[in-house]
Amino acid sequence: MVDLLIKNGLIVTMDKDRRIIPDGSIAVENGRVVEIGRNIKLKEKPEETIDVKGKIIMPGLICSHTHLYGMLLRGAPLKIEPPTDFSQILQRVWWPMDEAMTREDAYASALISCLEFIRTGTTFFADTFSGPNAMTGVLDRIAAAVEQAGIRGLISFEATERRTHAEGARGVRENERFIKKIKKARSTKVRGMFSIHASFTVSDELLSYVRELASRYKVPATIHTSEGSADVYHNYERFGKRTVERLRDVGLLAADIVLAHCVHVNDDELAMIKKSGAKVAHNPMSNMLNAVGIAPVVKMLAMGISVGLGNDGYVFDGFENIRAAFLLHKVALRDPRVISPVEVLEMATIRGAELYGVENELGSLEPGKLADIIIVNPSTAPTPVRPESVLGHLVNTVGGGDVETVMVGGRAVMRDRRILTLDEHEVVKIARKSAEKLWQKLG
């Protein structure tokens, strides 16, 4: 029997034909879409029917790269000499924060981040946590928050050797431990992967170690790649190679690898990425915040490289990131034709699913796929919302605050803007308490 029927909505499917269905309906059974279209005929009356006339139905957004713990830095009044470049941002902000984090800080940041994701329509994310003094068991605490929120997360510990080689190996082993535990538990919401900070903080031996383990456990691995120019300079100086070239030569460049950022990559490196099948997580708002430059995403798309959209721990509203990606490359290339609405929406949905090998389960609304659905109310749109205008409205008009209902596997985690899985006031209280202690540590 059909558990849920959502009817009379304007459906943006993001399926292979990118169909847009007016007055459409979606039937959900056992957490999956079983039928989609107009005038669906059901044999039996569904257990629940939701009429969404005048509203948009679309897949839940996918955040391809985030740092959930970055939420605790929001508005932090750090008493530091203002950084002048990305390397100083790492040294003066992020690395001290990494070392100050506790497991309970990780839990608090995951709770508040998941709350923000739900409010703004993101149902699946890929997270990397960095905290060398809170390593053992920290992924379990993050997973507990994600399970509590009821959304989907791919989580990992960011291995780095910037302090010691032993610490890098411990970080990899924490991922391995968690991956084995999750596989054994057969979790449907939380999965594990491997994460490496960046090539300028790790050895070839660690890169090869992660390559071996990712293949053994059949999970993705991600690494920050040429986010800042220092990454490129380091690899030139130490190895006589550019960043992507080094990753290729150690065997890390492959279809199960997600390269975060790829700002400072040249045409030869793009060709290597394309040939290997590796994917890219684009973080436009973070790149602007850190003033690192603009990734050549237009070239990537033209070459057929899969590009997803992330927030890198900065702004968690997926629609803000969609709009930033849509606009940034136009001004960078001084060409208003680049990056169409459908391309940037693909980055936030089906392409994001492709990055992590879950495109057969997530990223579009089709029979057989998981029913991760958001309902957007465009009531404040100043012009008509029709099949021919809906993509333009999703990119140029809609914000996270217009997301009205969020479903994960057909189960509502937010309905009519009311969070059903978390106590919002309690989550904010926990996050603020954690942030206060963290800010004191950071001075």
Side-chain angles (χ1 to χ4, degrees):
M1 177 186 289
V2 170
D3 308 316
L4 173 67
L5 178 67
I6 307 171
K7 67 178 186 179
N8 294 330
L10 178 53
I11 306 177
V12 177
T13 65
M14 301 309 295
D15 66 9
K16 62 182 177 63
D17 298 317
R18 307 298 185 252
R19 289 184 304 152
I20 296 172
I21 306 171
D23 300 315
S25 299
I26 298 179
V28 176
E29 186 175 327
N30 295 325
R32 293 184 180 270
V33 176
V34 291
E35 196 170 347
I36 183 170
R38 302 183 73 176
N39 303 314
I40 289 178
K41 303 295 183 184
L42 300 177
K43 294 179 181 179
E44 299 180 25
K45 184 179 179 181
E47 291 186 13
E48 181 182 10
T49 299
I50 303 175
D51 192 329
V52 295
K53 188 173 182 61
K55 299 172 186 177
I56 303 164
I57 308 171
M58 64 180 291
L61 301 182
I62 291 175
C63 177
S64 296
H65 180 76
T66 190
H67 302 283
L68 300 180
Y69 74 112
M71 186 68 86
L72 298 184
L73 266 184
R74 186 71 57 84
L78 302 179
K79 296 177 182 178
I80 58 173
E81 186 71 21
T84 62
D85 59 28
F86 182 57
S87 294
Q88 289 185 351
I89 291 172
L90 291 176
Q91 293 163 358
R92 298 178 187 179
V93 180
W94 284 104
W95 290 349
M97 182 182 184
D98 292 353
E99 293 171 21
M101 290 290 293
T102 68
R103 283 187 287 274
E104 290 314 300
D105 292 333
Y107 171 74
S109 64
L111 272 182
I112 193 68
S113 296
C114 287
L115 177 64
E116 185 68 9
F117 274 145
I118 293 171
R119 284 172 173 165
T120 55
T122 291
T123 54
F124 177 80
F125 64 86
D127 171 60
T128 66
F129 174 80
S130 183
N133 299 318
M135 191 181 301
T136 305
V138 70
L139 298 182
D140 301 295
R141 294 301 290 143
I142 296 171
V146 179
E147 293 275 9
Q148 197 174 333
I151 61 176
R152 304 186 196 276
L154 191 60
I155 63 178
S156 60
F157 187 90
E158 188 176 88
T160 176
E161 295 174 299
R162 71 174 182 263
R163 299 202 304 184
T164 67
H165 291 299
E167 190 169 274
R170 283 182 59 220
V172 175
R173 287 196 296 270
E174 169 63 14
N175 284 314
E176 183 182 20
R177 177 200 68 79
F178 182 73
I179 289 165
K180 289 165 70 174
K181 176 181 177 179
I182 287 295
K183 282 181 175 287
K184 185 176 181 180
R186 299 182 182 277
S187 171
T188 59
K189 294 290 196 309
V190 179
R191 306 183 192 188
M193 64 175 176
F194 289 96
S195 173
I196 304 163
H197 173 248
S199 66
F200 65 91
T201 65
V202 297
S203 63
D204 282 357
E205 289 75 19
L206 191 79
L207 293 172
S208 298
Y209 184 32
V210 170
R211 170 66 279 167
E212 176 194 340
L213 291 176
S215 297
R216 182 190 305 174
Y217 293 103
K218 295 181 173 57
V219 297
T222 187
I223 179 171
H224 295 86
T225 306
S226 295
E227 180 178 2
S229 56
D231 198 352
V232 182
Y233 298 154
H234 168 85
N235 286 298
Y236 264 140
E237 182 180 349
R238 291 287 303 276
F239 304 97
K241 304 172 184 179
R242 292 184 67 87
T243 308
V244 174
E245 185 181 9
R246 180 184 166 208
L247 297 180
R248 180 200 63 185
D249 290 351
V250 298
L252 193 67
L253 209 62
D256 58 353
I257 301 299
V258 177
L259 308 173
H261 301 290
C262 288
V263 174
H264 298 274
V265 292
N266 64 16
D267 290 352
D268 288 343
E269 289 177 294
L270 290 177
M272 294 174 200
I273 294 170
K274 171 61 179 175
K275 183 178 180 180
S276 71
K279 285 87 171 176
V280 175
H282 178 39
N283 302 273
M285 297 191 79
S286 169
N287 294 161
M288 287 189 278
L289 176 70
N290 293 324
V292 294
I294 301 170
V297 167
V298 174
K299 283 186 178 181
M300 295 177 194
L301 296 179
M303 294 172 68
I305 295 170
S306 288
V307 180
L309 195 58
N311 66 34
D312 199 35
Y314 182 35
V315 174
F316 280 68
D317 184 337
F319 286 99
E320 284 199 46
N321 286 278
I322 286 170
R323 194 164 297 124
F326 181 64
L327 297 175
L328 177 62
H329 302 283
K330 298 179 190 301
V331 71
L333 299 176
R334 299 184 183 182
D335 185 348
R337 297 168 297 179
V338 302
I339 308 256
S340 66
V342 71
E343 284 177 312
V344 74
L345 287 169
E346 287 171 346
M347 291 162 62
T349 54
I350 189 63
R351 299 297 179 216
E354 288 175 0
L355 262 62
Y356 295 99
V358 293
E359 66 274 18
N360 292 328
E361 296 278 291
L362 303 170
S364 63
L365 299 179
E366 304 178 61
K369 285 197 172 186
L370 291 165
D372 289 12
I373 300 167
I374 64 175
I375 298 169
V376 178
N377 188 347
S379 61
T380 59
T383 57
V385 181
R386 298 171 177 164
E388 62 272 20
S389 69
V390 65
L391 298 184
H393 276 298
L394 287 173
V395 173
N396 295 297
T397 307
V398 166
D402 297 313
V403 177
E404 198 170 77
T405 295
V406 176
M407 295 184 175
V408 178
R411 176 191 175 217
V413 295
M414 180 173 78
R415 178 164 290 177
D416 298 326
R417 296 296 300 167
R418 187 171 71 87
I419 306 289
L420 303 177
T421 53
L422 297 171
D423 182 329
E424 294 185 64
H425 296 295
E426 183 63 22
V427 168
V428 171
K429 180 181 176 181
I430 291 170
R432 288 185 175 180
K433 182 179 179 180
S434 187
E436 191 70 45
K437 291 180 180 178
L438 190 64
W439 290 4
Q440 288 177 5
K441 291 180 187 177
L442 296 175

